[in-house]
Amino acid sequence: MKKNQSLLSALLMTSLLSLGLAACGNTNDLSSNSSDEDSKLSSEEVSSVEESSSVEESSSVEESSSVEESSSVEESSSVVEQPKLQYDPTQPVTIVFYSTMGDSLKTSFTPYVEMFQQLYPNITVQHDTVGGYDEVRDQIKTELGTNQGPNLAYCYPDHVALYNLSGKVQTLDKFIYNTETDDNGNLLYGLTEEQCNDFIDGYWEEGKSFGNNLMYTLPFSKSTEVLYYNKTEFDNLGLSVPTHWFKDDAGLDPTTSMEYVCEQLLIAHPNDVPLGYDSEANWFITMCEQYNSPYTSTDKSNHFLFDNETNREFVTRFADWVINKNYVTTQGIEGAYTSTLFVNEDTSKKSSYMSIGSSAGATHQVPDGDRFEVGIAPIPQVNAARPRVISQGPSICMFKKANQQEVVASWLFLRYLTTNINVQAAFSMSSGYVPVIESVYRNELFQEFLDGADGTSLGIAALSAKVCSEQANAYFTSPAFVGSSDARDQVGNLMKAAFTGTSIDEAFKNAIAECNASI
């Protein structure tokens, strides 16, 4: 931890030095990887980005599209002819940012907020933490109904789908592709082509996945699910890290399946449970994606597609693992994160030897005193040539305000948080989330952090970040629409019901009924 703190201090100093240089005139170069501020997207590229199309994670903007389409300049397919943004850098303005950061993370984040305010002295950022993601969603939903609420907020795609009902989510295209420059030819507001391309593709695409190909969010920090395993015990038993699920998977080595590994661990430790899986919902949704089997759709007449033969089959097999074979348990069954079993040292209680959970929770997967070495690997896959793993972690959305000064100031803050290498690196190192821009991985101090990756308490966060970066092309998110959050809840309930004795038919029937009742 001391090493990480020294690296964070170095990043902070680097940012301060960069800030001093920026104050000398180049105040728009907020990303130290941006060597060409004059680089712009062509008008053809801009138009292609903004043309309406149906995409993988589109949400039901049908409810709000009429509002968005009527915002002539804001959502225009041609950004070349836009009028200048209404912004006066001498006029004081306060913006409000909602997040879910705990006290320790907020403390490490605050210096970068202060540096932003030095960069833009007229902007004051009020950073409010509002519980967890659901609390942020519910508070904003309430406040939007009274024309209140923040300027920016942590969000997931289904939150944005919900907010879109009010038509008050600010799309970002007119800022991202803005071509206004200062006297030196530097972009005042827009992102360079290099900055756009620096975002990891899957994270960037999430922001424009709401049915009309406009950008509603930018990614801030991300996580995924990984497989934690007791490397010490795996080495003792001569086990391979599982790369696929079932022993009978065609053409694959049975001894590298999760099923075989669980079987062998249970032989060695009959009073324990081999695997803990934190999220039943994630497990179901991930298996749908890995099998390329329907889960949900943005089609308003047929949102919920998950009751099908493929999905019934994998739920049936996993239920057998839980009920009859004792291969796996879940957070819903245990009433707590399964990391508690993974790090357990009380011999009177059961332990586990594998845990599938959030990559951002790596520090909770290390036993006291480093009693054993922890390994981290990608979760098992159905098709190694088409790997799929869920994308999690916050993006940030902006809200429309009558005062355009607030809107532009909010964009400048959002641009700073998402494109500044030092902010992205420092937040990753202190939070356990991974950066959303590729250039951070070429940063010398961040690379030093990754070089310290190992299965101990000092290196586990770096090891998790390393594994996440190696599977960036496998990330997916599910379709987002009003009701998609309920679908997620219900497939989680479906798995838990099947794992506790409810018939497969009844579990699926109940889940579909609850989903249909929610819309």
Side-chain angles (χ1 to χ4, degrees):
M1 180 59 72
K2 289 182 178 178
K3 181 179 180 182
N4 288 353
Q5 289 174 341
S6 66
L7 290 174
L8 287 170
S9 297
L11 280 170
L12 185 58
M13 183 59 68
T14 301
S15 291
L16 287 169
L17 291 172
S18 299
L19 179 59
L21 292 173
C24 294
N26 188 15
T27 59
N28 310 296
D29 188 4
L30 298 182
S31 175
S32 57
N33 69 301
S34 299
S35 58
D36 181 11
E37 280 289 352
D38 293 320
S39 175
K40 316 247 188 346
L41 293 177
S42 68
S43 60
E44 291 82 4
E45 290 171 315
V46 170
S47 295
S48 68
V49 168
E50 295 199 341
E51 288 174 357
S52 175
S53 67
S54 175
V55 290
E56 179 182 16
E57 302 157 14
S58 59
S59 112
S60 61
V61 274
E62 289 88 352
E63 288 88 357
S64 62
S65 59
S66 60
V67 177
E68 294 295 339
E69 290 168 2
S70 66
S71 304
S72 57
V73 173
E74 184 175 311
E75 278 73 37
S76 170
S77 62
S78 173
V79 298
V80 177
E81 301 300 326
Q82 289 179 20
K84 291 184 178 181
L85 295 176
Q86 300 174 28
Y87 182 71
D88 181 354
T90 67
Q91 179 184 335
V93 60
T94 297
I95 58 175
V96 179
F97 172 44
Y98 283 2
S99 83
T100 64
M101 296 181 199
D103 290 341
S104 60
L105 193 54
K106 189 174 181 180
T107 298
S108 64
F109 179 75
T110 296
Y112 291 95
V113 176
E114 294 171 348
M115 283 190 292
F116 170 78
Q117 292 176 146
Q118 292 178 47
L119 191 60
Y120 296 97
N122 66 309
I123 302 175
T124 298
V125 178
Q126 178 183 320
H127 179 198
D128 295 341
T129 54
V130 190
Y133 291 106
D134 288 347
E135 285 76 20
V136 170
R137 177 199 62 198
D138 294 344
Q139 181 162 329
I140 291 175
K141 177 184 176 183
T142 299
E143 290 176 340
L144 288 178
T146 58
N147 292 318
Q148 298 178 355
N151 299 90
L152 308 105
Y154 268 12
C155 64
Y156 278 144
D158 58 330
H159 299 173
V160 178
L162 179 64
Y163 304 153
N164 269 341
L165 286 173
S166 69
K168 294 177 183 176
V169 181
Q170 173 68 58
T171 51
L172 306 177
D173 302 74
K174 76 172 184 179
F175 302 104
I176 293 171
Y177 304 111
N178 188 279
T179 58
E180 294 178 55
T181 60
D182 62 17
D183 293 339
N184 297 318
N186 299 313
L187 285 173
L188 285 168
Y189 309 107
L191 299 184
T192 66
E193 184 174 9
E194 182 180 7
Q195 286 175 312
C196 290
N197 292 336
D198 196 25
F199 283 93
I200 292 171
D201 289 345
Y203 301 154
W204 175 268
E205 292 300 318
E206 179 184 302
K208 57 176 184 176
S209 61
F210 295 89
N212 55 4
N213 215 21
L214 296 173
M215 187 70 79
Y216 284 80
T217 68
L218 282 182
F220 174 58
S221 59
K222 292 297 179 180
S223 63
T224 187
E225 286 189 325
V226 293
L227 171 66
Y228 300 93
Y229 63 98
N230 184 326
K231 187 176 185 302
T232 302
E233 187 63 7
F234 268 59
D235 291 344
N236 289 340
L237 297 175
L239 294 174
S240 299
V241 178
T243 58
H244 58 105
W245 294 103
F246 302 110
K247 289 193 295 184
D248 60 0
D249 287 333
L252 299 178
D253 181 356
T255 67
T256 60
S257 68
M258 177 62 79
E259 185 175 18
Y260 175 84
V261 170
C262 286
E263 179 183 87
Q264 297 305 306
L265 284 167
L266 198 59
I267 291 172
H269 304 280
N271 296 321
D272 293 325
V273 59
L275 169 66
Y277 206 127
D278 270 342
S279 172
E280 293 97 338
N282 281 0
W283 198 2
F284 185 97
I285 295 166
T286 297
M287 295 307 299
C288 291
E289 185 70 21
Q290 288 191 6
Y291 276 113
N292 201 20
S293 174
Y295 164 53
T296 56
S297 164
T298 56
D299 181 354
K300 291 179 65 176
S301 66
N302 195 22
H303 278 314
F304 309 111
L305 310 176
F306 56 81
D307 187 1
N308 59 68
E309 183 177 351
T310 298
N311 299 348
R312 283 171 172 258
E313 181 178 355
F314 72 67
V315 172
T316 299
R317 298 190 73 169
F318 289 142
D320 181 55
W321 284 15
V322 176
I323 296 171
N324 299 318
K325 296 181 177 178
N326 194 36
Y327 286 169
V328 62
T329 188
T330 66
Q331 181 183 352
I333 294 171
E334 298 297 324
Y337 286 111
T338 61
S339 58
T340 59
L341 303 177
F342 187 65
V343 299
N344 173 52
E345 58 182 330
D346 185 347
T347 56
S348 67
K349 298 179 179 179
K350 68 181 176 184
S351 298
S352 71
Y353 299 87
M354 294 179 289
S355 175
I356 294 179
S358 171
S359 60
T363 56
H364 299 290
Q365 303 279 1
V366 182
D368 290 342
D370 292 324
R371 288 182 292 107
F372 58 82
E373 182 181 356
V374 179
I376 304 180
I379 66 171
Q381 295 291 324
V382 169
N383 181 356
R386 183 185 171 274
R388 291 293 185 270
V389 60
I390 200 164
S391 175
Q392 301 183 125
S395 293
I396 298 177
C397 64
M398 286 171 44
F399 295 94
K400 296 176 181 178
K401 299 292 179 181
N403 182 353
Q404 288 303 296
Q405 187 82 352
E406 291 182 33
V407 177
V408 178
S410 299
W411 163 251
L412 292 174
F413 186 53
L414 177 55
R415 181 176 72 165
Y416 169 81
L417 294 180
T418 56
T419 63
N420 185 296
I421 289 179
N422 296 318
V423 174
Q424 282 286 308
F427 192 81
S428 174
M429 290 162 57
S430 60
S431 69
Y433 287 87
V434 294
V436 299
I437 51 177
E438 295 175 353
S439 54
V440 172
Y441 292 95
R442 300 188 293 272
N443 176 271
E444 182 178 353
L445 292 173
F446 192 74
Q447 191 58 57
E448 183 180 345
F449 166 71
L450 292 181
D451 288 344
D454 61 33
T456 68
S457 54
L458 289 177
I460 195 69
L463 180 60
S464 179
K466 205 168 187 178
V467 171
C468 288
S469 68
E470 291 168 355
Q471 55 180 344
N473 292 331
Y475 295 143
F476 75 89
T477 54
S478 301
F481 53 88
V482 176
S484 60
S485 181
D486 296 289
R488 174 182 170 78
D489 291 343
Q490 292 308 320
V491 297
N493 291 339
L494 181 163
M495 291 282 269
K496 183 178 177 182
F499 293 167
T500 53
T502 301
S503 73
I504 300 301
D505 283 347
E506 185 176 356
F508 273 87
K509 178 181 177 182
N510 290 343
I512 289 290
E514 290 293 331
C515 286
N516 286 329
S518 71
I519 57 175

